[in-house]
């Protein structure tokens, strides 16, 4: 054992090294001193291994003759050096020595870390002292691998490696082999095995001969990468098989194939002779060597044995020979090879006289006790309910506690709480927990071993039962994300089926809390004595390295009594030497925070266990005595939290509240908080930090000021460190966030992030490269990641020394209690959630009241024709009353809250805004419903006649026809007319049809009344009635009157132009008039009657447009004059709309038309004339023609759009292609006025641009005619085909009406027929004749020709384009959302209009929209991160509302997906028109950055193409 002594491990051969001792913080933890003794090598190896550094096997001593081989040429001696480094240790000897001197827990952790590094790990460990080998089954138990075989239907397979059915292929050697076995192995498995080219591998092996290492090749499911399509284990025996026959026999019994490397053919024959094995054995020999030829010569073969084959290297290159060996392995795997799991290898080991590490009494006893518990688990959910019920009860009690903190309805909560507590008191400990407590308290049972068995068994169960559920969950999320209910249910099943060691330990804590709170147990009860011992027992486990759950992951609460007593016991165990430093890692799920902690401190927080884990865990790391004074602590406490914003928790209502509570708690407990993130989740992390900061500031006293580190994952270290600007920018954003939080709590002393947290962007920012070096599962941890983690760990150690305050565990507990109360009672999200719940009930009452009033009002309209204006006024009063009721409830609710005033104010503002929007939305819906109820009496009468009286009138006509036909006397035309008139008058009386003329409305007068109401609060209301009438106003252009002498003087002084203000105001008014004209035109094209509700909407549009004109001020006179002018335009258009509606829907006119049709049918029937031809013509004219016209119009629009986009670069993104083309043309022409129109009146500009471009294009290319005629022919063929199909259907009893009904139903999916048109044609039905179908077909073809000629005659292309393009939904598809950024006027990119939030990815310099600071145009964009505060330069603009855009522009998000800097395109435009914009806005030109000044038009064009992804 000389090597153990030389390496300083001799003492640990008996007194084994433990994991807690290896993880202990000591002088070498962050030391970079060179290794100069053999005693330093084991510690250096373990240090690198715990960091998962793949250079761990290369540790070596640095000697004085390090440069011995760097010699002057004249002093070169060809002889070898006389001696090698005496301090060198072969890496295999070092690994073997450490495994021999480690306890079982450390062995497991070493194997786990070596596996992460893709090192081969010991399978059979030799002991040169006892001459025995040991199967390392226990050490391998915790290795879990993930892979994807080609044959698997699952996305990935996750299995514990010792029970996985993976074939083993072994490599051994006999004598000296010319072929380097390790070279071939490492070509297969990428430096998995130690080989001669590694540092110190040339040192002779002293104790590692006989070592059998094992590694695994695991496929990733990609044929172009994987060498094997199935997983395969590879074993390697170190040394000559003649010296290690037991190991060789073991491998022969357990392997699917053995590859024996040798140059001694005779020796191989001798050792393999009589070997009875099912294992395929391959002799691998070098055919080029003389030794091979001499060895084979004169020796017979292996008696035609099929189990032994030879692979001879002849003239192949090394790489080619490796392929031959690989092909051989693949061939073995394809033939259903012998598979023995590592777990089952124990039997083979015992037969060969090899020890098994799990055969120790302690391990067997621990396994037996764990199996007694876990083998009884058949259904996870049932087991948890029956054996671990207390945590479920406590989860419900915690929820009640949360609801009580923010809800006034306490009676129901109290009853529910009493019921749960009664259930608690009746609790009896289940068998599983009795066994569990017995096992961890019984001194005869190895506690650590038992807990490890429990953990492994439960993890295996979870993997088996959750794999299918997780496959379903991933499939639903990826393929059918709209099935939210199914996803939520499945996620709940996954959580219910999760069962791990933490659930048993959690139940342990709940048991203790229950019995400590007075659960009846006799003093002498064994259970009572056991439970009283639990805190001290767990305190010892904490010292041994077991983590404790600080925050219950399911209940989201702290078991305070349990945590308090455990840490108090720990305080006593260490004899009050319990000063601690607390490190917390916080991060969004998937950012690698647990991986970071595990690598940095060597701990084992779960990173992927196949279970659903929540909450926060803490673990203690001891600090060596030599460093305690330096670091000012005895322990480092590490707190790991669940991933925040987990997708599986997003469906839960309290997920945000839970995240913010957890973040506030752990940050408040910490001396150092590590924010682990990627740039993709930075916005979410800042939101969390702001809540944490605001909560701290809301406390009566700041508890501690934690230091903060930001760790950026997946970043190249070199480029990241060089980016000082980004770090400074991060600090600016954090300062903005903190200032916003300080305003929430009215704390004027806090102005920046460093007032709350200690943070230096230069020293407290770290950058981690990617975790893996290559493609998993065969990728090792990258060296860059391990080294970056080590550097970060050194920074933390330095920061510990700077921390001022040093607390022990008792102070930690006091802080924990304070923070728990803070997050419970001062949590703004809890207030928000409870208020949201209350608000839902108020909103329900509001809606019920409105619906009740609407129902009553609709009846009043139908019964007594209540005047619409009166009803609209009444509707407004009802809305105001309902709104006041909600606001009153809100005030009463907030008055009862015992929260920070600032939080209450924030909630008040937010819910007042919500209420205002509710009122606006409801008002719009009420108007729509009332509009339907206000359908004129004329429409009702016409509809009544059409729908219910048609049959009665037809019967009267047929009765008259029958009477006249029977009369023998001859009837003249006049006689028939008189008879018909008499019958008609009597029929109207019998049907009680009494119609009156539709009353004509004076729209101008009604508009004038509404205008007076709108401006009634203005002082100069007389301007409205003085002078011209509304109709007269609309006949000329609107002109702004000149301002007074003061305004003119100011214009001259500031801008050098006395009419400056009038000019700017005129431009703004022209823009508003243009917007309103578009609205009026669109509304007037409808077929319904005029409604005053349209004027209400128009006036709101004017008010909104005036508010958005930030650069001008509207006087009362200008506002009234503008509204009067627009009202005149509206009254003229809507009067025409009303007149057309009146003419179309007058009941008297309708009856006269119907009477005429009835009389004509009557005459035809009386004289037995054939009506088929006439009815066919009428049907085509009245029914088919409008339907065909509508069909052609709807389908021509998309064709025009497609034609327009040819050459634009993208048909997938119509709006993007359109914007690209416009901006490209603007850049080409570089016309300031055009840019100004594009920015200021974007929608109108785009519409006109479209019309201009298409009009120009279509005037040269008659594609519009071509498209219209194409669809005309298409629909004509469709109609004639339908006619033919119906006519060929035999039906002897069919009449014309039924034929036409059948035709309409057949074509109904494609054509929209006018309502009641068929009834107006078929007044009196006629029998069907075959000729009718021919007449119909002929008339359809005539219609096609007629409409085709009409297309050729129409020359007003612009009007036709308006009809085909500017109709929803095509207009929405073409233009997308028409909203613009309130600051820089960038158009919204959220697609069509159905979205809740507007955003733009590319904002512009705000100076383009005239935004200025201190009278100077600004160049900043509005794409700023954080909570929405505008850049400081823009903070002085005239409207202070822009400082916090989210308070005034609730629907705009200026952070999502936005760039933080303008593109070169808009920089170039800003530079080009800087002077013009400044003159236009009366401002000083912007201070253009130097980097902008050199931009060219080509730079702008390249930037434009890049922005819109154009090639």
């Amino acid at each position: 054992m000389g090597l153990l002594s030389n390496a300083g491990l001799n003492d640990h051969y008996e007194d084994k090294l433990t994991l807690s001792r290896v993880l202990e913080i000591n002088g070498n933890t962050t030391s970079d001193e060179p290794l100069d003794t053999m005693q330093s090598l084991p510690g250096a190896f373990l240090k690198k291994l715990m960091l998962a550094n793949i250079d761990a096997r290369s540790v070596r001593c640095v000697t004085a003759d390090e440069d011995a081989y760097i010699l002057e040429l004249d002093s070169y001696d060809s002889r070898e050096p006389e001696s090698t480094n005496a301090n060198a240790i072969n890496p295999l000897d070092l690994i073997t020595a450490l495994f021999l001197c480690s306890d079982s827990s450390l062995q497991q952790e070493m194997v786990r870390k070596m596996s992460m590094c893709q090192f081969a790990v010991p399978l059979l460990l030799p002991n040169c002292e006892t001459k025995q080998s040991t199967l390392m089954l226990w050490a391998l138990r915790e290795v879990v691998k993930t892979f994807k075989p080609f044959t698997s239907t699952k996305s990935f397979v996750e299995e514990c490696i010792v029970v996985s059915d993976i074939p083993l292929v072994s490599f051994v050697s006999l004598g000296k082999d010319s072929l380097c076995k390790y070279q071939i192995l490492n070509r297969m498995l990428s430096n998995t095995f130690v080989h001669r080219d590694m540092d110190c591998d040339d040192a002779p092996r002293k104790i590692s001969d006989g070592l059998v290492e094992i590694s695994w090749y695991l496929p990733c499911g990609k044929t172009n990468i994987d060498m094997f399509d199935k997983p395969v284990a590879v074993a390697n025996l170190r040394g000559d098989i003649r010296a290690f026959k037991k190991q060789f026999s073991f491998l022969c019994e357990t392997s699917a194939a053995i590859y024996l490397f040798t140059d001694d053919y005779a020796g191989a024959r001798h050792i393999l002779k009589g070997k009875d094995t099912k294992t395929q054995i391959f002799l691998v020999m070098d055919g080029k060597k003389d030794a091979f030829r001499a060895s084979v010569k004169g020796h017979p073969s292996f008696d035609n044995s099929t189990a032994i084959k030879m692979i001879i290297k002849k003239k192949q290159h090394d790489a080619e020979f490796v392929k031959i060996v690989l092909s051989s392995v693949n061939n073995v795997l394809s033939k259903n090879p012998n598979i023995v799991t590592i777990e089952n290898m124990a039997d083979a080991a015992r037969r060969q006289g090899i020890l098994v590490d799990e055969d120790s009494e302690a391990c067997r006893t621990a396994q037996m006790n764990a199996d007694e518990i876990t083998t009884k688990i058949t259904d996870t959910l049932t087991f948890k309910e029956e054996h671990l019920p207390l945590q479920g009860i406590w989860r419900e009690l915690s929820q009640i506690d949360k609801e009580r903190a923010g809800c006034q309805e306490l009676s129901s909560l109290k009853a529910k709480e009493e019921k749960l507590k009664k259930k608690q008191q009746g609790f009896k400990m289940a068998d599983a927990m009795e066994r569990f407590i017995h096992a961890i308290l019984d001194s005869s049972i190895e506690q650590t071993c038992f807990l490890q068995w429990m953990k492994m068994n439960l993890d295996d169960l979870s993997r088996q039962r959750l794999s299918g559920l997780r496959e379903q969950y991933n499939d639903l999320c990826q393929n059918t994300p709209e099935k939210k209910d199914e996803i939520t249910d499945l996620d709940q099943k996954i959580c219910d089926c999760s069962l791990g060691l933490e659930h048993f330990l959690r139940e342990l804590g709940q048991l203790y809390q229950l019995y400590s709170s007075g659960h009846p147990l006799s003093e002498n009860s064994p259970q009572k004595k056991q439970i009283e011992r639990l805190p001290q027992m767990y305190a010892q486990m904490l010292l041994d390295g077991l983590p404790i759950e600080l925050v219950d992951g399911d209940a989201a609460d702290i078991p305070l009594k349990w945590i308090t007593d455990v840490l108090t016991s720990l305080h006593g165990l260490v004899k009050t030497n319990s000063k601690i430093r607390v490190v917390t890692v916080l991060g969004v799920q998937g950012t690698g925070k647990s991986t970071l902690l595990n690598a940095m401190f060597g701990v084992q927080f779960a990173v992927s266990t196949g279970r659903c884990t929540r909450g926060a865990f803490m673990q203690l790391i001891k600090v060596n005595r030599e460093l305690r004074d330096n670091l000012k602590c005895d322990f480092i406490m590490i707190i790991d939290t669940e991933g925040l914003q987990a997708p599986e928790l997003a469906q839960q209502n309290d997920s945000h509240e839970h995240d913010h509570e957890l973040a506030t708690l752990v940050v408040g407990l910490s001396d150092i908080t590590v924010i682990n993130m990627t740039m993709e989740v930075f916005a979410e992390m800042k939101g969390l930090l702001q809540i944490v900061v605001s909560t701290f500031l809301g406390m009566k006293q700041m508890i501690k000021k934690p230091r903060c580190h930001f760790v950026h994952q997946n970043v190249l270290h070199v480029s990241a460190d060089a980016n000082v600007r980004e770090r400074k920018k991060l600090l600016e954003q954090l300062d903005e966030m903190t200032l916003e939080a300080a305003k929430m709590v009215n704390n004027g002393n806090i102005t920046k992030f460093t007032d709350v947290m200690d943070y230096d962007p230069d020293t407290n920012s770290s950058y981690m490269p990617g975790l893996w070096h290559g493609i998993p599962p065969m990728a090792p941890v990258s060296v860059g990641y391990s080294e970056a983690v080590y550097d970060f760990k050194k920074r933390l150690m330095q920061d510990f020394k700077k921390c001022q305050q040093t607390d022990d565990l008792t102070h930690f507990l006091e802080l924990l209690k304070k923070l728990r109360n803070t997050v419970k009672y001062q949590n703004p999200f809890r207030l928000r959630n409870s208020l949201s719940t209350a608000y839902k009930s108020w909103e329900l009452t509001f809606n019920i009241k409105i619906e009740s009033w609407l129902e009553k009002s609709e009846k009043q309209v139908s019964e007594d024709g209540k005047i619409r204006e009166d009803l609209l006024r009444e509707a407004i009063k009802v809305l105001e009353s309902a709104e006041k009721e909600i606001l009153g409830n809100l005030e009463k609710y907030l008055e009862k809250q015992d929260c920070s005033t600032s939080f209450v104010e924030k909630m008040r503002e937010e819910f007042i805004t919500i209420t205002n929007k509710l009122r606006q939305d409801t008002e719009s819906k009420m108007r729509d419903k009332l509009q339907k109820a206000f359908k004129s009496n004329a429409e009702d009468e016409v509809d009544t006649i059409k729908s219910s009286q048609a049959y009665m009138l037809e019967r009267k006509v047929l009765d008259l026809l029958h009477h006249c036909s029977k009369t023998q006397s001859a009837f003249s035309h006049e006689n028939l007319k008189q008879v018909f008139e008499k019958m008609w008058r009597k029929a109207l009386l019998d049907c009680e049809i009494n119609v009156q003329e539709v009353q004509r409305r004076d729209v101008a007068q009604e508009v004038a009344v509404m205008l007076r109401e709108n401006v009634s609060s203005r002082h100069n209301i007389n301007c409205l009635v003085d002078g011209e009438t509304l109709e007269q106003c609309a006949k000329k252009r609107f002109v702004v009157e000149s301002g007074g002498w003061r305004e003119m003087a100011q214009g001259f002084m500031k801008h050098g132009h006395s009419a400056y203000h009038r000019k700017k105001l005129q431009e703004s008014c022209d823009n508003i008039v243009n917007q309103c004209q578009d609205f009026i035109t669109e509304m007037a094209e409808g077929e319904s009657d005029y409604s005053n509700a349209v004027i209400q909407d128009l006036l709101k549009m004017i008010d909104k447009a005036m508010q958005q004109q930030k650069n001008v001020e509207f006087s009362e006179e200008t506002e009234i004059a503008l509204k009067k002018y627009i009202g005149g335009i509206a009254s003229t258009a809507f009067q025409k709309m009303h007149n057309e509606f009146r003419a179309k829907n007058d009941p008297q006119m309708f009856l006269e038309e119907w009477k005429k049709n009835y009389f004509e049918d009557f005459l035809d029937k009386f004289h037995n004339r054939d009506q088929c031809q006439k009815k066919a013509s009428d049907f085509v004219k009245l029914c088919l023609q409008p339907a065909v016209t509508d069909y052609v119009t709807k389908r021509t629009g998309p064709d025009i759009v497609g034609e327009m986009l040819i050459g634009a670069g993208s048909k997938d993104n119509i709006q993007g292609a359109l914007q690209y083309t416009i901006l490209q043309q603007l850049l080409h022409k570089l016309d300031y006025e055009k840019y100004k129109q594009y920015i200021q009146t974007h929608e109108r500009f785009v519409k006109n641009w479209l019309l201009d471009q298409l009009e120009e294009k279509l005037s040269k290319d008659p594609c519009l005619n071509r498209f219209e005629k194409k669809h005309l022919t298409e629909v004509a063929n469709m109609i004639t085909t339908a006619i033919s199909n119906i006519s060929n259907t035999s039906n002897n009893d069919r009449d014309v009406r039924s034929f036409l009904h059948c035709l309409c139903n057949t074509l109904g999916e494609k054509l929209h027929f006018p309502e009641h048109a068929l009834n107006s044609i078929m007044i009196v039905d006629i029998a069907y004749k075959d000729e009718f179908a021919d007449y119909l077909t002929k008339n359809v073809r005539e219609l096609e020709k007629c409409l085709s000629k009409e297309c050729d005659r129409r020359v007003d292309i612009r009007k036709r384009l308006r009809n085909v393009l500017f109709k929803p939904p095509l207009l929405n598809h073409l233009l997308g959302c028409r909203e613009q950024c309130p600051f820089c006027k960038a158009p919204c990119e959220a697609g069509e209009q159905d979205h809740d939030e507007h955003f733009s990815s590319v904002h512009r310099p705000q100076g383009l929209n005239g935004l200025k600071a201190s009278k100077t145009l600004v160049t900043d964009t509005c794409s700023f991160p954080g909570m929405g505060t505008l850049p400081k330069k823009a903070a002085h603009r005239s409207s202070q509302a822009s400082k916090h855009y989210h308070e005034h522009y609730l629907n705009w998000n200026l952070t999502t997906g936005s760039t933080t800097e303008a593109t070169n395109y808009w920089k170039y435009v800003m530079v080009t028109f800087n002077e013009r914009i400044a003159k236009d806005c009366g401002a000083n030109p912007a201070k253009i950055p130097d980097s902008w000044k050199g931009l060219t038009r080509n730079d702008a064009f390249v930037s434009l193409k890049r922005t819109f992804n154009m090639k």
Side-chain angles (χ1 to χ4, degrees), residues 757-772:
M757 289 189 175
D758 196 344
Y759 170 67
D760 182 338
D762 293 326
T763 60
N764 292 17
S765 297
S766 299
Y767 301 88
M768 302 289 164
L771 174 63
W772 303 112

Side-chain angles (χ1 to χ4, degrees), residues 476-522:
L476 278 176
C477 289
Q478 293 172 7
N479 300 321
T480 53
E482 68 278 3
K483 296 181 179 180
K484 294 184 179 179
D485 291 339
E486 290 185 34
I487 292 173
T488 303
D489 292 342
L490 197 55
D491 173 63
Q492 188 58 49
K493 284 183 182 178
I494 291 173
C495 288
D496 290 340
C497 292
S498 299
L499 182 62
L501 178 62
E502 69 270 17
H503 290 91
F504 282 83
L505 297 175
R506 185 184 298 164
E507 192 77 6
L508 207 67
Q510 288 304 309
L511 272 170
Y512 181 77
Q513 293 209 141
L514 175 62
Y515 288 111
S516 298
S517 63
H519 188 279
L521 274 178
S522 64

Side-chain angles (χ1 to χ4, degrees), residues 924-1181:
S924 176
K925 291 175 184 175
M926 287 179 77
R927 290 190 174 198
D928 290 342
K929 284 198 172 185
L930 287 175
Q931 180 63 30
K932 293 178 182 177
F934 285 145
K935 195 174 184 182
S936 69
N937 290 334
E939 286 180 273
D940 290 340
E941 290 179 25
V942 171
D943 286 347
T944 300
I945 294 170
K946 289 178 180 178
S947 59
S948 61
Q949 306 300 340
Y951 177 74
M952 181 65 70
L953 288 171
E954 183 180 345
R955 295 309 310 162
K956 294 287 184 183
V957 173
L958 290 175
D959 288 345
L960 177 63
L961 181 65
H962 182 69
H963 172 74
C964 293
S965 299
K966 283 187 175 182
T967 304
Q968 298 298 321
S969 58
F971 284 94
S972 67
H973 181 79
E974 287 299 322
N975 294 143
L976 288 173
K977 187 174 182 181
Q978 290 173 3
V979 172
F980 186 85
E981 285 283 354
K982 183 178 178 181
M983 179 276 299
W984 186 260
R985 287 193 297 271
K986 186 175 185 303
L988 295 182
L989 291 173
D990 293 343
C991 297
E992 298 181 351
I993 299 176
N994 182 21
V995 298
Q996 298 178 354
E997 182 182 8
V998 176
Q999 186 177 1
R1000 183 181 183 279
R1001 297 170 64 184
D1002 188 341
V1003 175
Q1005 184 179 357
E1006 294 180 22
V1007 171
V1009 171
M1010 299 180 72
L1011 280 175
R1012 279 196 296 273
E1013 290 180 356
N1014 181 263
V1015 297
S1016 59
S1017 62
R1018 311 298 188 272
H1019 296 295
N1020 296 309
I1021 190 173
N1022 291 333
C1023 299
L1024 191 64
V1025 294
D1026 293 342
E1028 299 172 323
T1029 63
L1030 291 178
E1031 293 90 338
Q1032 291 171 332
C1033 285
K1035 292 179 181 178
K1036 56 185 180 182
R1037 180 176 178 268
F1038 178 78
V1039 178
V1040 176
E1041 295 184 2
S1042 298
W1045 66 269
R1046 187 185 302 275
E1047 182 182 284
M1048 295 172 68
Q1050 287 178 348
F1052 184 79
M1053 294 292 292
K1054 291 182 179 180
H1055 312 290
H1057 197 317
S1058 59
Y1060 173 80
H1061 290 295
R1062 191 190 67 78
K1063 179 185 175 185
K1064 298 303 297 180
L1065 188 57
Q1066 183 69 54
E1067 289 178 358
S1068 297
C1069 289
D1070 288 344
N1071 289 337
I1072 295 173
V1073 169
N1074 290 336
Q1075 290 179 41
C1076 293
Q1077 280 182 325
D1078 289 344
F1079 175 77
I1080 292 167
T1081 302
E1082 183 179 345
M1083 297 306 297
E1085 288 177 352
E1087 296 183 357
S1088 61
D1089 197 3
Y1090 159 74
S1091 167
N1092 282 338
V1094 179
I1095 299 298
Q1096 295 280 8
D1097 294 337
L1098 182 63
L1099 291 172
K1100 286 182 179 178
M1101 177 185 291
I1102 297 172
D1103 289 334
K1104 180 181 178 182
M1106 288 169 59
Q1107 291 172 6
Q1108 291 177 343
Q1109 301 295 322
K1110 302 296 183 182
N1111 296 320
V1112 296
E1113 293 183 6
F1114 290 84
S1115 65
E1116 288 189 355
E1117 292 86 351
T1118 303
E1119 177 191 353
I1120 293 172
L1122 180 63
K1123 289 182 175 177
K1124 183 177 180 180
Y1125 176 77
I1126 295 173
I1129 298 173
S1131 62
T1132 302
F1134 294 141
Q1135 184 68 61
K1136 181 182 177 184
M1137 173 186 180
H1138 168 69
N1139 293 341
E1140 291 175 353
F1141 174 83
R1142 178 172 171 268
K1144 184 178 180 181
N1145 289 280
D1146 188 290
Q1148 287 186 344
M1149 294 176 64
F1150 169 74
L1151 278 175
E1152 285 300 318
E1153 182 67 26
W1154 225 11
K1155 174 184 169 184
K1156 178 184 174 184
N1157 293 336
Y1158 267 111
F1159 182 61
E1160 289 178 356
D1161 282 358
F1162 171 74
L1163 288 177
D1164 289 339
K1165 295 284 284 185
F1166 182 80
H1167 293 298
N1168 293 320
R1169 297 171 187 162
D1170 185 3
Q1171 288 185 299
C1172 285
Q1173 188 170 356
K1174 181 177 181 296
K1175 293 301 178 184
S1177 176
D1178 288 345
F1179 177 75
V1180 171
K1181 180 182 178 182

Side-chain angles (χ1 to χ4, degrees), residues 254-371:
T254 57
S255 301
I258 291 180
Y259 289 80
L260 196 161
F261 288 72
T262 186
D263 288 342
D264 184 359
Y265 180 77
R269 274 183 49 80
H270 176 74
I271 200 166
L272 295 176
K273 188 176 181 180
K275 201 76 172 174
D276 184 17
T277 178
K278 298 179 181 178
T279 301
Q280 181 77 60
I281 298 177
F282 295 87
L283 291 184
V284 185
M285 306 182 75
D286 190 347
K288 296 184 295 182
K289 298 293 182 181
D290 294 338
F292 166 76
R293 291 189 288 272
S295 179
V296 173
K297 189 176 181 180
H299 293 282
S301 63
F302 284 93
D303 303 323
N304 296 322
S305 172
T306 58
I308 301 175
K309 296 182 179 180
M310 296 179 67
I311 300 176
I312 311 298
K313 182 180 180 184
K314 297 180 180 178
K315 297 182 180 179
Q316 301 97 335
H317 189 272
D318 286 349
E320 293 177 357
F321 187 66
V322 170
K323 289 181 181 179
I324 293 173
V325 176
L326 287 177
S327 175
S328 169
V329 174
N330 259 320
N331 189 47
V332 170
L333 297 179
S334 65
K335 295 181 178 179
N336 298 318
N338 175 45
I339 297 178
V340 181
T341 65
I342 296 176
E343 188 174 56
N344 292 334
M345 287 180 186
D347 294 333
R350 295 183 187 105
R351 284 194 292 271
Q352 299 296 336
I354 296 172
L355 302 177
V356 180
D357 57 359
E358 287 187 1
D359 285 349
S360 68
E361 185 63 29
C363 191
R364 284 182 173 276
T365 305
Q367 181 184 13
M368 180 185 66
N369 280 272
D371 288 348

Side-chain angles (χ1 to χ4, degrees), residues 1193 1264-1265 1268 1350-1365:
T1193 300
L1264 179 57
N1265 285 7
E1268 287 178 333
E1350 190 176 327
C1351 290
D1352 293 332
R1353 286 195 302 268
R1354 284 185 294 185
V1355 294
D1356 190 350
I1357 295 177
R1358 200 174 189 90
K1359 183 177 180 181
R1360 291 163 69 187
L1361 286 172
R1362 281 187 177 277
N1363 289 334
V1364 300
L1365 286 181

Side-chain angles (χ1 to χ4, degrees), residues 1273-1391:
T1273 302
E1274 177 184 291
V1275 70
N1277 291 338
M1278 179 174 63
I1279 296 170
T1280 54
T1281 301
I1283 293 170
S1284 176
N1285 291 339
I1286 296 171
S1287 64
N1288 291 332
T1289 304
S1290 59
N1291 190 343
N1292 296 328
D1293 299 328
R1294 182 166 56 198
D1295 53 35
V1296 169
R1297 176 174 289 171
S1298 64
F1299 181 93
L1300 292 179
H1301 272 300
C1302 184
L1303 179 62
C1304 290
N1305 290 335
T1306 302
L1307 298 172
E1309 289 186 6
K1310 298 289 181 68
L1311 300 180
H1312 176 68
F1313 296 101
E1315 192 176 4
H1316 302 302
L1318 185 58
N1319 288 338
S1320 66
I1321 296 166
M1322 295 307 302
I1323 301 296
V1324 179
D1325 198 10
I1326 58 175
Y1328 173 77
K1329 296 181 180 180
D1330 291 337
E1331 293 85 354
F1332 182 72
D1334 296 333
Y1335 292 143
L1336 268 181
T1337 302
K1338 182 180 178 182
N1339 276 278
V1340 169
R1341 291 305 178 189
E1342 287 296 327
L1343 174 65
E1344 180 185 0
K1345 291 179 183 178
C1346 179
L1347 292 179
S1348 179
K1349 290 179 181 178
E1350 190 176 327
C1351 290
D1352 293 332
R1353 286 195 302 268
R1354 284 185 294 185
V1355 294
D1356 190 350
I1357 295 177
R1358 200 174 189 90
K1359 183 177 180 181
R1360 291 163 69 187
L1361 286 172
R1362 281 187 177 277
N1363 289 334
V1364 300
L1365 286 181
F1366 294 161
K1367 300 287 184 185
L1370 182 60
L1371 181 62
N1372 295 338
H1373 186 55
L1374 194 59
L1375 299 186
C1377 177
R1378 272 95 89 186
E1379 290 290 330
Q1380 291 177 266
C1381 171
F1383 306 118
C1384 74
K1385 294 295 182 180
C1388 172
E1389 298 174 13

